[in-house]
Amino acid sequence: MQNQLKKLNNCKSLKDLNSMLVDAGFNRKVLEQIRKDFVQLELEIDIENPEVIPQMQFHLEKLLESGMEKLMNLLYRIDISEKKIVALSDEDPHMPYRDVLTFLIIQREAQKVMFRELYKPE
């Protein structure tokens, strides 16, 4: 699990991240964590729908257009620092901002699930 966590931390794109998310049970937990954090800010994510990423991006675009305070609350709740956002944006300046945020959200939520699995009592 620790090796997977290191690989996850080193992912730099949605493609890299997607290659990490191959276990259906793990993916379900990540999706549930994403949904939980979005719902706290009244942003509905239907995790039964295979189009979760477009749903996330839809909400992120809306927040970028008119809800910066709510967006900042979401990023704070998920634990994504401005430093990480800037670093990824600088690394790939052609990546749309919503994709930067989507990637970082999925990565962080997957980290949370991995940490829980790694440190759960036997």
Side-chain angles (χ1 to χ4, degrees):
M1 182 67 77
Q2 287 182 330
N3 286 338
Q4 287 179 310
L5 189 56
K6 286 179 185 176
K7 285 174 69 176
L8 178 63
N9 292 339
N10 291 324
C11 287
K12 300 293 182 200
S13 70
L14 282 172
K15 184 179 176 184
D16 293 342
L17 193 55
N18 195 39
S19 70
M20 292 283 308
L21 302 174
V22 293
D23 177 81
F26 179 77
N27 289 353
R28 180 71 181 186
K29 290 175 184 177
V30 172
L31 290 172
E32 288 171 355
Q33 183 64 47
I34 290 169
R35 186 186 132 328
K36 179 181 146 195
D37 285 332
F38 272 72
V39 165
Q40 288 293 321
L41 294 171
E42 301 173 354
L43 303 169
E44 191 60 42
I45 299 286
D46 177 7
I47 61 174
E48 301 303 325
N49 183 331
E51 301 295 321
V52 171
I53 289 176
Q55 290 178 67
M56 290 172 62
Q57 290 175 330
F58 171 80
H59 289 306
L60 292 170
E61 285 177 350
K62 289 280 191 191
L63 293 174
L64 285 166
E65 291 170 8
S66 61
M68 283 305 281
E69 184 175 334
K70 202 171 186 179
L71 176 62
M72 298 312 290
N73 286 337
L74 177 67
L75 297 175
Y76 177 79
R77 174 168 188 68
I78 296 171
D79 189 27
I80 297 174
S81 70
E82 187 177 340
K83 183 178 176 181
K84 283 189 174 193
I85 296 168
V86 169
L88 186 57
S89 294
D90 288 349
E91 191 170 306
D92 187 353
H94 300 294
M95 184 186 293
Y97 198 64
R98 70 160 198 198
D99 293 352
V100 169
L101 297 177
T102 302
F103 168 79
L104 290 172
I105 289 169
I106 295 169
Q107 182 185 45
R108 180 64 185 127
E109 300 291 30
Q111 289 168 341
K112 288 180 187 178
V113 171
M114 279 190 181
F115 282 128
R116 275 192 221 114
E117 293 294 316
L118 190 60
Y119 296 109
K120 75 179 177 186
E122 295 289 325

